[in-house]
Each structure stands twice: as structure tokens, then as C-alpha cells.
């Protein structure tokens, strides 16, 4: 393929993305009808890492839809300020400190939720960390990236599943992930066919396998052999953390599938795109409002029957 053909393909892809963005913008402007609204002001949605960026915007949009939103942040001062901004806009938003890296913090938060609300209906796992910006590929903070994005998310899911309240529409768990963590992405996949096929096979997938995969990477980071380990080439630690999140989403969906009607929990993940936030050095192509949209859509979908799937721009994409 010559450079002209490549340029043409890029232009067509850009046009398709722009058309899709316009379609979603139009859809978002149409309010939910009364018979579609399964939620109310009594519906409790928890958003982690919500003091800024995508998390703040998810909290904002859920608040606009009339839910009670629990906005969480590792740092108390910035979290309280973020909640105050939304409260001043007339939204029912409360703040509670939460550090997903700290199991005691998670346990304390869940105890507070149980005491004050009896449980939750929606969990949005947004808290995340990425040290690399642009084309950088440092693994200096690999342990923190994996611990925050994968282990922290996993521990939040485990802690909150017992708190999910029975609901005819089903409780919802949505995790902010990334296309960089796709198993079969053309540019950024794990090159070890055996590992990839193991992670693909939902029936035999296990937490131990996912943990072993990320731990092997971390061991190679420590001994300096990670560059020849067949890991994703771009934003390696971040990509692997999101790959683990995507795999864990499928695993939990499988384990929750047999819950009876009225007690269903639907869990999905999504890629918000390259969003203009502090994490991308404000270099993204998507606004926080657009980046938050699919999370809110999955949270509120009236006829939810989808679980263990990966989405972008309100469409399912392949893992």
C-alpha cells in the first residue's frame, strides 16, 4: 500500500469517526422517556477517581439524569471541591474519600455506603494511572500502573458486588478501559500466541491466569527483560493493565451470569477514546463529555441484557 492509499484510508476513517460523533451527539440530545427510566433519585451510582477528567464528567452526566452520585477521589480536598461544583449546579452529588490502591480504604468506603444507602446500583470504575504521554514507553511506574488500573479495579468489583441492590433492570458495573488493551489489536497485541489464546478462552479463563500474566510482566520489568517478552509495543504497562481489566470483565460476567432475574448484575468495559485530560497531557482528540458518554449509556440502558462485552462510541468492539 503506497502513501497515498494510506492517507486516503486515514481520511476515510477520520470521516467515519466524525460522523459517529455527530450521531451520538444527536442521540444524547434526546431525553429518556418516562417508561425508559428505570432509575430515580434513589438510585445510587458510585464513580471512582471522579475529581477531574472523564470521571468528573461521568458523575456530572449521571447527576443530570437525576441519580444520586457518590463522587470519590483519593485526595479529599480536590474531591470535595469537585462535588461542590456539581452540587452548586443543583445535582445530587456527595463526596467520599476512596483510594483503590488501599484495601482498608475500600473496606471503609463500602461500610459507609452500606450504613448510609444500604447498597449501590451502579459502579463506574474510572480511577486510573498512566505515566506515559504520547510516544513515550517508560515502565518506571509499571507496578503502580498495574496496581491502580487492574488490581484496584478488581478489588473494587469484588468489594461492591455484595452491595449491589436487587433491581428489575439489573445492577451495572462499567469500567473505563482502552483499545490499547485489546487481545487482538493489529498494532498492540501480545505476540505470544499461547498466552493470547488462553486469555481469549472465556470458559477456562481464571483470575490466576490473568494475575500470572501481569506478574510475569512485572518480573521482567524488574530484571530488564520485558522488551523481549512479546508484550504490547505501545504504552506497554498501561496497555497490559487494561488488557487485564478487559479479561477480568469477561471472567466476572461469566461468574455472574447465573444470577436470577431481579438480582442480575451486568458488567462491561469501554474505551472512551483519546480524551483531552491531564492523563493525555491535554493532547487527546475527544472531549471529556464525549469520553464519558458510553459509560453513562451503559449505566442507564433500559433493556440491558449485555454483559462481559467491550464497547466504544456506544458500539460493541472485539476484545
Amino acid at each position: 500500500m503506497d502513501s497515498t492509499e494510506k492517507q486516503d484510508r486515514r481520511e476515510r476513517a477520520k470521516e467515519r469517526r466524525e460522523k459517529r460523533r455527530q450521531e451520538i451527539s444527536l442521540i444524547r440530545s434526546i431525553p429518556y422517556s418516562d417508561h425508559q427510566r428505570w432509575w430515580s433519585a434513589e438510585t445510587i451510582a458510585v464513580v471512582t477517581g471522579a475529581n477531574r477528567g472523564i470521571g468528573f464528567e461521568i458523575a456530572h452526566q449521571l447527576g443530570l439524569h437525576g441519580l444520586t452520585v457518590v463522587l470519590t477521589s483519593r485526595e479529599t480536598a480536590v474531591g470535595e471541591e469537585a462535588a461542590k461544583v456539581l452540587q452548586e449546579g443543583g445535582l445530587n452529588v456527595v463526596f467520599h474519600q476512596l483510594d483503590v490502591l488501599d484495601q482498608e480504604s475500600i473496606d471503609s468506603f463500602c461500610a459507609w455506603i452500606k450504613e448510609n444507602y444500604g447498597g449501590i446500583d451502579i459502579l463506574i470504575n474510572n480511577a486510573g494511572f498512566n505515566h506515559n504521554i504520547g510516544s513515550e514507553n517508560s515502565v518506571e511506574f509499571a507496578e503502580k500502573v498495574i496496581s491502580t488500573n487492574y488490581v484496584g479495579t478488581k478489588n473494587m468489583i469484588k468489594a461492591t458486588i455484595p452491595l449491589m441492590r436487587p433491581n428489575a433492570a439489573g445492577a451495572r458495573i462499567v469500567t473505563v478501559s482502552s483499545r490499547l488493551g485489546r487481545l487482538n489489536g493489529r498494532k498492540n497485541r501480545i505476540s505470544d500466541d499461547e498466552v493470547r489464546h488462553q486469555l481469549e478462552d472465556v470458559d477456562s479463563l481464571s483470575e490466576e491466569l490473568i494475575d500470572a500474566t501481569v506478574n510475569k510482566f512485572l518480573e521482567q520489568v524488574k530484571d530488564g527483560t520485558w522488551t523481549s517478552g512479546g508484550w504490547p509495543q505501545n504504552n506497554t504497562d498501561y496497555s497490559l493493565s487494561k488488557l487485564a481489566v478487559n479479561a477480568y470483565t469477561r471472567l466476572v460476567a461469566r461468574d455472574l451470569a447465573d444470577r436470577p432475574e431481579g438480582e442480575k448484575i451486568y458488567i462491561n468495559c469501554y474505551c472512551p477514546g483519546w480524551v483531552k485530560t491531564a492523563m493525555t497531557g491535554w493532547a487527546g482528540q475527544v472531549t471529556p463529555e464525549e469520553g464519558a458518554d458510553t459509560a453513562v449509556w451503559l449505566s442507564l440502558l433500559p433493556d440491558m441484557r449485555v454483559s462481559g462485552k467491550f464497547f466504544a462510541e456506544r458500539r460493541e468492539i472485539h476484545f
Side-chain angles (χ1 to χ4, degrees):
M1 187 186 296
D2 62 29
S3 59
T4 306
E5 284 179 304
K6 285 182 180 175
Q7 183 62 29
D8 286 345
R9 283 185 64 173
R10 278 197 292 267
E11 286 299 322
R12 287 196 299 273
K14 187 178 178 182
E15 285 172 12
R16 286 195 299 271
R17 282 197 305 271
E18 186 54 38
K19 185 180 178 186
R20 182 63 184 159
R21 284 169 70 178
Q22 289 174 0
E23 286 173 359
I24 292 171
S25 181
L26 179 62
I27 293 167
R28 278 178 59 201
S29 69
I30 303 167
Y32 287 92
S33 60
D34 287 345
H35 79 274
Q36 290 177 308
R37 293 170 64 96
W38 61 266
W39 64 91
S40 69
E42 308 302 313
T43 304
I44 308 299
V46 171
V47 187
T48 69
N51 56 290
R52 66 180 187 186
I54 298 169
F56 177 82
E57 188 54 38
I58 291 170
H60 179 212
Q61 291 184 28
L62 288 172
L64 287 172
H65 283 294
L67 290 79
T68 294
V69 180
V70 181
L71 181 156
T72 79
S73 157
R74 187 164 43 90
E75 296 175 26
T76 299
V78 293
E80 285 177 340
E81 189 58 36
K84 188 179 173 187
V85 169
L86 297 178
Q87 290 161 0
E88 287 174 352
L91 305 183
N92 193 4
V93 176
V94 296
F95 169 74
H96 197 281
Q97 191 274 340
L98 172 65
D99 182 355
V100 300
L101 282 167
D102 181 348
Q103 189 61 49
E104 281 188 22
S105 177
I106 292 174
D107 293 343
S108 173
F109 173 76
C110 288
W112 175 83
I113 282 282
K114 193 167 186 180
E115 183 181 341
N116 285 272
Y117 299 105
I120 67 173
D121 305 285
I122 298 167
L123 168 67
I124 310 284
N125 290 302
N126 169 72
F129 177 71
N130 184 20
H131 180 66
N132 296 312
I133 292 177
S135 59
E136 293 175 24
N137 196 23
S138 162
V139 293
E140 183 185 352
F141 295 96
E143 202 156 331
K144 184 178 178 183
V145 170
I146 298 287
S147 294
T148 306
N149 299 351
Y150 169 54
V151 181
T153 295
K154 178 174 72 167
N155 289 343
M156 272 303 292
I157 291 169
K158 286 183 176 182
T160 53
I161 282 175
L163 294 176
M164 291 287 174
R165 303 193 290 197
N167 187 323
R172 318 287 171 94
I173 301 172
V174 180
T175 300
V176 181
S177 189
S178 172
R179 283 184 178 94
L180 288 171
R182 290 175 68 188
L183 270 172
N184 289 300
R186 279 180 299 175
K187 297 178 182 175
N188 210 38
R189 66 184 186 175
I190 291 178
S191 62
D192 186 323
D193 289 343
E194 185 182 351
V195 173
R196 209 168 63 248
H197 292 150
Q198 285 177 329
L199 290 167
E200 265 182 314
D201 186 354
V202 145
D203 292 332
S204 61
L205 190 60
S206 67
E207 184 179 344
E208 290 74 24
L209 173 63
I210 304 168
D211 288 354
T213 304
V214 296
N215 288 336
K216 182 181 177 184
F217 166 69
L218 290 173
E219 284 165 16
Q220 291 184 1
V221 167
K222 285 175 185 170
D223 66 24
T225 62
W226 68 275
T227 52
S228 56
W231 306 108
Q233 299 296 299
N234 183 10
N235 283 273
T236 303
D237 53 5
Y238 181 79
S239 298
L240 192 64
S241 73
K242 293 303 188 180
L243 186 150
V245 161
N246 294 346
Y248 190 69
T249 299
R250 299 171 84 197
L251 173 64
V252 175
R254 184 195 75 194
D255 293 346
L256 294 175
D258 293 334
R259 290 174 72 98
E261 287 297 324
E263 296 178 25
K264 294 285 188 188
I265 301 174
Y266 301 106
I267 178 168
N268 296 286
C269 52
Y270 88 105
C271 176
W274 197 28
V275 183
K276 295 171 189 163
T277 64
M279 191 181 279
T280 63
W282 311 103
Q285 299 167 325
V286 177
T287 65
E289 291 81 4
E290 291 169 317
D293 176 73
T294 298
V296 176
W297 172 72
L298 284 167
S299 300
L300 303 183
L301 209 58
D303 301 312
M304 175 62 93
R305 284 292 177 266
V306 181
S307 197
K309 303 297 183 184
F310 188 25
F311 291 84
E313 297 170 332
R314 297 195 181 199
R315 288 176 174 167
E316 184 184 341
I317 59 176
H318 293 300
F319 282 97

